[in-house]
Amino acid sequence: MPLLRPKAVIFDCDGTLLDSEQCWLDMLNTLAVELRLPQNALEGMRGVTAGFAARQLTRYSDLTEEAALDLINTRYSQSLSSVTCPLPGVRALLDSLHGRIPLAVATNGRSEDVSKMLYQAGIEHYFDTLATVEDVKHGKPNPEIYRYACRRLNVAPSDAVVLEDSIVGARAASDAGCTIVGLRLPPVSFPLINADSLFDISYAPRTGSLAIHSPG
């Protein structure tokens, strides 16, 4: 059972804190059907930025990149009204960490969308800072967003633990120099500790240790 002693914990949002990732994937699938795109046109979109998805959309449609981005952002924002509660295990873990260790969210989402979702789910007050794709030049898989979050929390990346459910995000955290706890991730070429769910992660305030009950 790995024991970590981080000075900060940074959470991905979509698929880690909230089930907004499914909204994203469903929205893209709906767009693909409406625009009559090839079946595989928008595959591999888990964890990517809206800008990346927009560029893919322009390859298979007559939309400009600007129009595609506007369409994706509008449709995704509209879909988020259904996100009203955190994923299982989120609140218990946040309760154990809150007030004892700095916490952040680092996400490829837009600030308006992410703030709205965190508020709807009743967990916005747990976090000391929010790092979104609008705060950096390049979103995940570029490591910039995790380095930015660490600066906001005033910790070195090597002292931060990142919780991620996508390879795109885990790669960004790894390249930033953070320790990664992956949620149900397949084997990767960089170091990470895997957990089946947030229920497998516990924090001990007396020792400041984060225990990861890795899958057997």
Side-chain angles (χ1 to χ4, degrees), residues 88-154:
V90 167
R91 198 177 298 277
L93 181 57
L94 291 177
D95 280 337
S96 69
L97 293 167
H98 183 54
R100 298 182 175 98
I101 188 168
L103 303 177
V105 176
T107 171
N108 272 344
R110 297 185 301 162
S111 179
E112 180 180 358
D113 289 337
V114 177
S115 296
K116 174 184 175 181
M117 287 190 293
L118 295 175
Y119 177 77
Q120 288 175 171
I123 59 174
E124 80 288 351
H125 62 284
Y126 286 106
F127 299 102
D128 299 285
T129 194
L130 175 62
T132 75
V133 71
E134 294 166 321
D135 295 312
V136 294
K137 186 175 181 180
H138 303 289
K140 306 172 191 178
N142 189 289
E144 184 181 1
I145 198 163
Y146 279 114
R147 291 173 180 157
Y148 174 79
C150 288
R151 289 197 301 271
R152 292 289 301 269
L153 294 176
N154 198 30

Side-chain angles (χ1 to χ4, degrees), residues 52-126:
F52 180 89
R55 288 190 290 275
Q56 287 295 103
L57 195 56
T58 61
R59 294 177 57 191
Y60 300 98
S61 72
D62 295 330
L63 292 171
T64 65
E65 186 171 327
E66 182 180 2
L69 182 59
D70 285 344
L71 179 60
I72 287 170
N73 282 334
T74 299
R75 289 291 189 90
Y76 182 55
S77 295
Q78 291 170 347
S79 74
L80 296 179
S81 58
S82 63
V83 181
T84 57
C85 60
L87 286 168
V90 167
R91 198 177 298 277
L93 181 57
L94 291 177
D95 280 337
S96 69
L97 293 167
H98 183 54
R100 298 182 175 98
I101 188 168
L103 303 177
V105 176
T107 171
N108 272 344
R110 297 185 301 162
S111 179
E112 180 180 358
D113 289 337
V114 177
S115 296
K116 174 184 175 181
M117 287 190 293
L118 295 175
Y119 177 77
Q120 288 175 171
I123 59 174
E124 80 288 351
H125 62 284
Y126 286 106

Side-chain angles (χ1 to χ4, degrees), residues 149-167:
C150 288
R151 289 197 301 271
R152 292 289 301 269
L153 294 176
N154 198 30
V155 298
S158 58
D159 290 326
V161 166
V162 167
L163 276 61
E164 268 282 0
D165 78 312
S166 74
I167 294 177

Side-chain angles (χ1 to χ4, degrees), residues 4 6 93 96-97 100-101 201-211:
L4 307 172
L93 181 57
S96 69
L97 293 167
R100 298 182 175 98
I101 188 168
I201 305 170
S202 59
Y203 182 70
R206 290 184 62 184
T207 61
S209 60
L210 197 68

